[in-house]
Amino acid sequence: MNPNEYIQGLHHLTVSVGGAQEDIDFVTQVMGMRMIKQTVLFDGAASIYHLYYANADAEVGSVYTTFPFKKAGVYGKKGSGQIEVSGWSVHSDSLEFWKKHLDKHQVKNTGIVERFGQKMIHFEDPSGIGLGVFGDDSDTRNAWQTDQISKDNGIRGIYGTVLRCREIEMMDFYLREVLGFSKLGQDGDYHRYHIKNGGPSRVIELLHVPDLPQGSWTFGVGLPHHMAFATANDQQNAELKAYIEGFGFTDVTEIKDRNYFHSIYTRTPSGVLFEFATSDIGFAIDEPEDQLGHQLLLPPFFEDRRAEIVKPLEPITPPSYLQNGN
């Protein structure tokens, strides 16, 4: 099989952040994304929110999900083997706007920089998660509009990721020979790879950091957790699992039910956790598309424990458009 025929692009990006309200305010107001789901972490015993954000159409390939761990007091160590930047696609003409917008909100940023002939801005959220807006005029996806960010300037979806990697050789093998991606080239310490023909949601960069110690693989404030690739269904994931295991990467999980998609996970040679998530279920299975994000929802297998799960969660105030029922 050729995995590159199954992997459509990136499905979602997931990070562990600080406070839940702080995260909601930053992602919806500073990043200008649509809040599409309030639920909880399905793994482990602790009650932790799992918050989902996306573009206006809540499309696969535009989704950003966060686990707020501040209340639980769980922290970790930044280092190699982690996502350096979760990258988002915007129109290149909007980068001047983004520089002013980030400065207005006192968000430290790199200003407009260029890599692989592409302009971008890197910045961090309040918990230290690395983020970026990448100029790409080919992306026609529908951005969410806020009172501060117009649809023309808004985030259209995932552009790609930058991964910290102590050694390039084995991760290069994994991306090219196992997953079937192609290498575009190298710009300084950055190595760029394309899923299929590249473009929005189909770009991965490896940042070579040979002297940076390994970071935490756990949940914890300010730690990226994983990146997910989009596949069609469980059958494709089962075939991918067997294929990856055939190369000797035998720590691929069984298929997990994430309610809105089904997933398998595997640890890569760099240390970054990859997920393969199906695109055949979607976010409207438990609330209407025009009402996404309005209330805390639990998967059917958690409903009998609702009171127990909800009680420890911090109260949150969702964005005004959800409060008003719009």
Side-chain angles (χ1 to χ4, degrees):
M1 65 172 289
N2 179 3
N4 204 31
E5 295 178 359
Y6 285 5
I7 299 169
Q8 302 159 11
L10 286 160
H11 185 288
H12 66 267
L13 304 174
T14 295
V15 301
S16 300
V17 297
Q21 190 64 55
E22 177 183 63
D23 181 65
I24 292 169
D25 293 345
F26 185 85
V27 180
T28 62
Q29 296 173 24
V30 179
M31 295 177 67
M33 298 183 75
R34 178 188 179 189
M35 188 174 184
I36 64 164
K37 196 67 63 178
Q38 301 177 42
T39 185
V40 295
L41 174 63
F42 293 178
D43 298 324
S47 292
I48 304 292
Y49 280 113
H50 194 179
L51 306 175
Y52 286 68
Y53 310 91
N55 66 9
D57 298 324
E59 292 177 89
V60 164
S62 77
V63 180
Y64 184 50
T65 89
T66 64
F67 300 125
F69 265 88
K70 186 175 182 180
K71 186 177 181 183
V74 179
Y75 294 79
K77 173 188 172 186
K78 281 191 172 184
S80 65
Q82 296 173 344
I83 300 170
E84 165 85 4
V85 174
S86 294
W88 304 93
S89 178
V90 299
H91 197 281
S92 59
D93 288 345
S94 73
L95 288 172
E96 291 288 351
F97 161 82
W98 277 97
K99 170 61 178 166
K100 294 175 182 176
H101 177 70
L102 293 169
D103 289 344
K104 174 185 174 182
H105 286 273
Q106 299 182 318
V107 177
K108 185 177 178 181
N109 63 84
T110 61
I112 300 173
V113 297
E114 188 169 322
R115 191 165 66 247
F116 295 102
Q118 180 180 32
K119 293 182 178 179
M120 62 198 73
I121 301 173
H122 291 183
F123 58 98
E124 290 186 350
D125 83 346
S127 68
I129 292 293
L131 299 161
V133 283
F134 288 65
D136 187 290
D137 298 342
S138 70
D139 196 341
T140 59
R141 290 176 292 180
N142 191 15
W144 184 245
Q145 181 168 315
T146 73
D147 57 357
Q148 296 186 51
I149 304 175
S150 70
K151 189 175 290 288
D152 287 343
N153 289 333
I155 286 173
R156 290 144 194 256
I158 299 169
Y159 183 77
T161 57
V162 181
L163 315 180
R164 301 189 199 107
C165 192
R166 291 189 70 181
E167 297 182 5
I168 297 295
E169 181 181 3
M170 288 308 299
M171 194 59 182
D172 174 86
F173 172 85
Y174 186 85
L175 294 179
R176 291 189 304 104
E177 301 299 330
V178 179
L179 297 187
F181 301 164
S182 59
K183 184 170 184 177
L184 174 72
Q186 181 176 351
D187 188 340
D189 291 329
Y190 292 86
H191 301 249
R192 179 172 281 201
Y193 298 80
H194 283 175
I195 303 165
K196 299 187 185 299
N197 295 321
S201 84
R202 293 179 173 180
V203 175
I204 299 171
E205 292 181 10
L206 304 181
L207 172 58
H208 191 203
V209 286
D211 300 321
L212 185 65
Q214 174 68 53
S216 302
W217 289 351
T218 60
F219 295 119
V221 175
L223 298 180
H225 191 257
H226 65 265
M227 53 188 285
F229 299 96
T231 58
N233 50 43
D234 286 351
Q235 178 61 38
Q236 287 193 356
N237 271 2
E239 292 182 30
L240 278 169
K241 173 180 168 63
Y243 183 80
I244 293 169
E245 288 175 336
F247 279 89
F249 298 100
T250 56
D251 60 340
V252 186
T253 68
E254 300 301 319
I255 294 174
K256 294 179 180 288
D257 183 355
R258 298 314 195 188
N259 204 31
Y260 310 109
F261 43 86
H262 292 168
S263 297
I264 57 174
Y265 299 79
T266 186
R267 189 69 65 179
T268 68
S270 69
V272 175
L273 184 64
F274 279 8
E275 174 185 358
F276 300 88
T278 65
S279 305
D280 57 348
I281 302 175
F283 301 102
I285 64 165
D286 52 6
E287 56 186 344
E289 289 186 11
D290 62 351
Q291 299 289 305
L292 294 177
H294 278 71
Q295 60 183 318
L296 179 65
L297 297 169
L298 301 181
F301 46 85
F302 275 7
E303 275 297 345
D304 62 343
R305 297 175 51 216
R306 175 173 279 271
E308 169 196 348
I309 290 169
V310 172
K311 185 177 180 180
L313 297 173
E314 63 185 283
I316 58 174
T317 301
S320 59
Y321 56 84
L322 294 181
Q323 299 173 53
N324 297 334
N326 296 325

